[in-house]
C-alpha cells in the first residue's frame, strides 16, 4: 500500500543520494533557506566509499603542506573537502596522508552532514522515479511517496560496467576482489581493463602473482600525458616498470573475444589490436573484470527516463547540468561529467563541488527568482586586467575546473560598465550571453600540443608565444553575439603566479584595450 510522505507536501527540491554531491548541494540549499529534502538508501552517507576503492587508498590528493595560508588557494591541493563556511570541517583535519584512506573520507562525510544538520533522511531507498503533472514523485521501498518541483539525482554509479564478452560471467568483478594479494600467490591472472581500478588491483598482487596481464584494446592512458586525474596515475607505475623489466607481467593491447573454462583453467581467446590481427589463446588461473562503473537507469519511469551520453554510462546533460530531455531534473556529482568528460574534474569531489555551487545559484535563479551574483566594473582596461589576474591567481574553481568553468565579463553598453560573473560553465556562458555584442570569458587551460616526452618540453618564454605554453595558463576569449572573435593566452608560470608586469599584465591590457 502506498503512503504519502510524512510531511505531506510538494518540496521545492528533492535530492536522491547523500554521497559527497548530495551533501554538498544540501549544504548550499540549506544555506539559502530553500525547501529541500535529501533521501539516502543507506543508514549513513558516502556508501560508495565504504566499498571503493577496494584496497582503500584514494587517488584524490590531500596535500596538507603547501606554504600557503589562504583557505581558497589551499583548496587547489585539497581534493576531498566539501565547500562550506566551517574551517573545522575540512578534510585535512581527518587525514594528513597524501593519498588518504577511504575510511577517513567516510568519517568526514558523516561529520559534515551532522555538523551542518543537513536535512537528510537515511534508510530510505528510492525504487522508482516518475514525473506527472509537472511534479516529480519518488517512490520508496517502504511505500512512501515524496514529491518535488525539482529533482536532483546524486546517486553516483549504480553498478559495474560489464563488457559484452562471451563468458564474462566467469570473471571476478572488481567489486569482489579480495583485499589481500596473497589470494593470488603463484597464480596467472588476467585483468580486463587498464584504468586505475585495474592498476590498483594489479599492484595489490604484484609481489605475489606469477603472471599479471592487463588487457584492453587501447594502450594505457597516463594522467601525466593527458593532465586528467581519472587516467592512470603515477603511483601505479610499478606494474609498468615490471613489464619492461621482463618480470612476466604484461600490458596487452587486445580485444578479449571469449572466455571459457577447461577444468581448473580459464582460457581467453584474444586478438591483438597493434599486431596486424594476430590471435592467441592464453591460460590463466583467475580472471578479474576492472572495467569501471555505470549509471543505474532502472529507477526511472518512462515519464522521466533520461537520455544517456554517447558512452551509455552516464546521463546527457545541458550546459546548466539539467537533463538533456527531462525539464526540471538535474544531475549532481560524478553523473554531471558528460560535458567535460576526461578533461576537467567533474567526475571527482574536487571538481563537482564547484559545479554544485554554481548549480545551486542557477536553481535559485530559476525557482526562487534570485539573480546570479555579479560585480559591476568600470569600462576600463586597467581595472579589467587587474580583476582578471586577481581571479586566476586566487580562484580554486578555475584552477580545478580548467577548460570548463570560467569567469564572464559582459559589456553593458547602455550603462557603460562591465558585469562580472564567476564560475559558470563556458558553454553555458556563451549561450546565455549570446545576444551581447561583447563578452570575455577567462579560463585556465593546458597547452594543446602533444609532446613526445612530457618531461622534456622545449619552451618559448616570450609573451608573443604564450599560446604555445604547455603548463596550465590563463586564456581570455572574446565573444561577439555568441561567436568567438579573439583569444589571448598568457605565459605559463612555474608557481602559477600570473602577475609579472611584462609577461602578464601588459600583454593582457594590450589585448583588452581595443575592445573597450
Amino acid at each position: 500500500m502506498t503512503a504519502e510522505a510524512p510531511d505531506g507536501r510538494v518540496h521545492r527540491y528533492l535530492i536522491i543520494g547523500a554521497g559527497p554531491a548530495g551533501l554538498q548541494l544540501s549544504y548550499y540549499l540549506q544555506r539559502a533557506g530553500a525547501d529541500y529534502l535529501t533521501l539516502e538508501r543507506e543508514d549513513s552517507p558516502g556508501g560508495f566509499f565504504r566499498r571503493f576503492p577496494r584496497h582503500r587508498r584514494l587517488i584524490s590528493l590531500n596535500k596538507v603542506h603547501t606554504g600557503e595560508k589562504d583557505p581558497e588557494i589551499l583548496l587547489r591541493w585539497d581534493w576531498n573537502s566539501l565547500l562550506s563556511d566551517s574551517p573545522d570541517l575540512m578534510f585535512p583535519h581527518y587525514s594528513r596522508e597524501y593519498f588518504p584512506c577511504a575510511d577517513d573520507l567516510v568519517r568526514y562525510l558523516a561529520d559534515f552532514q551532522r555538523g551542518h544538520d543537513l536535512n537528510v533522511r537515511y534508510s530510505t531507498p528510492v525504487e522508482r522515479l516518475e514525473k506527472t503533472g509537472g511534479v516529480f514523485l519518488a517512490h520508496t521501498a517502504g511505500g512512501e511517496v515524496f514529491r518535488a518541483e525539482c529533482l536532483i539525482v546524486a546517486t553516483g554509479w549504480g553498478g559495474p560496467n560489464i563488457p559484452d564478452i562471451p563468458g564474462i560471467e566467469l570473471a571476478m568483478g572488481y567489486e569482489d576482489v579480495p583485499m589481500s594479494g596473497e589470494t593470488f600467490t603463484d597464480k596467472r591472472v588476467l585483468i580486463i581493463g587498464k584504468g586505475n581500478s585495474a592498476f590498483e588491483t594489479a599492484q595489490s598482487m604484484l609481489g605475489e602473482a606469477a603472471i599479471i596481464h592487463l588487457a584492453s584494446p587501447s594502450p594505457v592512458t597516463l594522467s601525466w600525458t593527458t593532465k586528467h586525474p581519472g587516467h592512470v596515475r603515477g603511483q601505479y607505475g610499478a606494474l609498468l616498470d615490471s613489464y619492461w623489466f621482463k618480470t612476466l607481467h604484461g600490458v596487452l593491447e587486445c580485444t578479449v573475444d571469449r572466455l571459457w573454462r577447461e577444468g581448473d583453467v580459464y582460457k581467453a581467446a584474444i586478438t591483438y589490436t597493434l599486431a596486424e590481427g594476430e590471435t592467441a589463446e592464453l591460460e590463466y588461473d583467475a580472471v578479474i573484470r576492472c572495467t569501471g562503473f555505470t549509471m543505474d537507469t532502472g529507477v526511472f519511469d518512462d515519464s522521466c527516463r533520461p537520455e544517456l551520453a554517447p558512452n551509455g554510462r552516464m546521463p546527457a546533460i545541458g550546459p546548466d547540468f539539467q537533463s538533456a530531455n527531462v525539464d526540471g531534473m538535474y544531475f549532481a556529482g560524478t553523473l554531471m561529467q558528460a560535458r567535460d568528460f576526461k578533461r576537467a574534474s567533474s567526475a571527482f569531489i574536487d571538481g563537482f563541488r564547484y559545479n554544485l555551487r554554481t548549480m545551486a545559484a542557477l536553481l535559485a535563479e530559476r525557482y526562487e527568482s534570485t539573480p546570479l551574483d555579479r560585480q559591476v566594473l568600470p569600462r576600463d582596461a586597467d581595472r579589467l586586467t587587474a580583476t582578471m589576474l586577481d581571479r586566476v591567481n586566487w580562484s580554486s574553481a578555475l584552477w580545478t575546473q580548467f577548460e570548463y568553468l570560467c569567469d564572464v565579463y559582459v559589456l553593458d553598453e547602455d550603462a557603460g560598465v562591465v558585469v562580472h560573473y564567476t564560475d559558470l560553465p563556458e558553454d553555458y556562458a556563451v549561450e546565455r550571453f549570446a545576444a551581447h555584442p561583447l563578452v570575455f570569458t577567462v579560463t585556465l587551460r593546458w597547452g594543446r600540443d602533444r609532446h613526445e616526452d612530457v618531461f622534456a618540453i622545449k619552451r618559448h618564454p616570450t609573451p608573443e608565444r604564450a599560446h604555445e605554453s604547455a603548463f596550465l595558463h590563463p586564456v581570455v576569449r572574446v565573444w561577439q553575439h555568441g561567436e568567438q572573435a579573439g583569444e589571448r593566452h598568457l605565459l605559463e608560470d612555474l608557481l602559477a603566479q600570473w602577475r609579472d608586469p611584462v609577461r602578464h599584465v601588459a600583454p593582457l591590457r594590450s589585448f583588452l584595450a581595443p575592445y573597450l
Side-chain angles (χ1 to χ4, degrees), residues 262-323:
E262 292 184 3
D264 294 333
V265 173
Y266 295 94
K267 303 195 77 171
I270 67 170
T271 300
Y272 291 102
T273 54
L274 300 179
E276 300 180 347
E278 178 188 5
T279 62
E281 288 187 5
L282 303 177
E283 293 186 354
Y284 299 96
D285 301 302
V287 181
I288 303 173
R289 164 181 43 78
C290 295
T291 47
F293 297 89
T294 190
M295 175 186 179
D296 176 15
T297 59
V299 71
F300 297 98
D301 183 91
D302 287 343
S303 60
C304 61
R305 188 172 303 281
E307 292 180 4
L308 299 181
N311 66 12
R313 295 170 56 192
M314 63 191 68
I317 59 173
D320 60 351
F321 315 113
Q322 187 174 197
S323 168

Side-chain angles (χ1 to χ4, degrees), residues 237-253:
L239 187 283
L240 297 176
D241 277 355
S242 68
Y243 178 27
W244 288 113
F245 293 154
K246 305 177 292 297
T247 65
L248 299 180
H249 303 321
V251 179
L252 312 182
E253 283 69 53

Side-chain angles (χ1 to χ4, degrees), residues 5 40 128 227 229 259 319 356 371 400 463:
E40 166 57 43
R128 184 166 62 91
K227 297 94 170 175
L259 295 169
L356 292 169
T400 302

Side-chain angles (χ1 to χ4, degrees), residues 13-31:
Y13 308 104
L14 185 63
I15 302 171
I16 310 299
L23 296 182
Q24 183 69 89
L25 186 58
S26 296
Y27 168 80
Y28 279 112
L29 294 180
Q30 181 152 304
R31 193 175 72 165

Side-chain angles (χ1 to χ4, degrees), residues 45 57 111 154 170 196 206 298 355 369 398 414 428 442 453 497:
R57 191 62 55 185
D111 284 355
L170 297 173
N196 281 302
L206 195 59
N355 293 357
S369 300
L398 297 180
D414 294 336
Y428 172 83
V442 182
D453 184 347
Q497 296 175 1

